[in-house]
Amino acid sequence: SLALTIKTMKGLPGAWPPDVLEPTLPEELIDVEEVSSMMIDVKYKPTFGASSEANFLSYVLRKLLKIAFYRMLAICAALNLSKETLVHTQILVAFRYLLRNHFEIFYDRHIDQLLLCTIYGVCRVMQVQPE
């Protein structure tokens, strides 16, 4: 199952997060630099990354991120959140952080519920109100 695959990957050094969840945005890299100074760097990906389970997990996570991105854009458009406030980027960073570090929160919850909570949290912290 998917949960068992994730648990196995988290148990292997350097296997988690998968490539699709690696920090790529500049906002994500700031947080990673602070954490990486405390952790031992593993410079290789184990052979588990080439297995069919890991490929399936990467595929599911890519689709999940794509769906979440388009739903986030639709929700932000419905709330009239302007793109000048950079809320969209911060929402995406927070959602990817949840996927990367707290995957267990996704069990028994719909993606829209977590996305709405992420949008609310980011807007609250950034003190942005819908127009």
Side-chain angles (χ1 to χ4, degrees):
S1 76
L2 187 62
L4 183 61
T5 303
I6 293 169
K7 189 174 184 179
T8 305
M9 282 186 76
K10 283 188 171 187
L12 295 172
W16 189 263
D19 293 336
V20 73
L21 289 180
E22 287 288 338
T24 55
L25 299 171
E27 292 84 0
E28 291 177 308
L29 295 175
I30 293 170
D31 295 335
V32 171
E33 290 171 359
E34 296 170 1
V35 173
S36 66
S37 64
M38 295 182 287
M39 295 176 55
I40 299 172
D41 291 332
V42 179
K43 298 189 188 247
Y44 68 93
K45 289 276 185 187
T47 57
F48 186 82
S51 70
S52 61
E53 292 92 1
N55 289 337
F56 174 71
L57 180 64
S58 292
Y59 174 77
V60 169
L61 291 174
R62 271 195 318 270
K63 292 294 180 184
L64 179 70
L65 284 171
K66 185 177 180 180
I67 290 169
F69 177 73
Y70 287 120
R71 288 188 179 170
M72 183 228 9
L73 289 178
I75 292 170
C76 288
L79 293 174
N80 292 327
L81 292 175
S82 65
K83 292 187 178 183
E84 290 90 31
T85 59
L86 300 175
V87 173
H88 298 82
T89 306
Q90 291 301 321
I91 293 169
L92 188 60
V93 167
F95 194 77
R96 287 174 54 95
Y97 178 83
L98 277 177
L99 269 175
R100 191 171 41 251
N101 297 318
H102 302 287
F103 196 82
E104 56 277 352
I105 202 170
F106 283 80
Y107 298 152
D108 297 330
R109 288 185 178 87
H110 197 275
I111 184 175
D112 290 340
Q113 178 186 7
L114 294 171
L115 194 57
L116 284 171
C117 292
T118 305
I119 291 170
Y120 173 77
V122 169
C123 288
R124 176 100 185 208
V125 168
M126 294 181 73
Q127 297 177 350
V128 175
Q129 294 185 356
E131 298 172 357

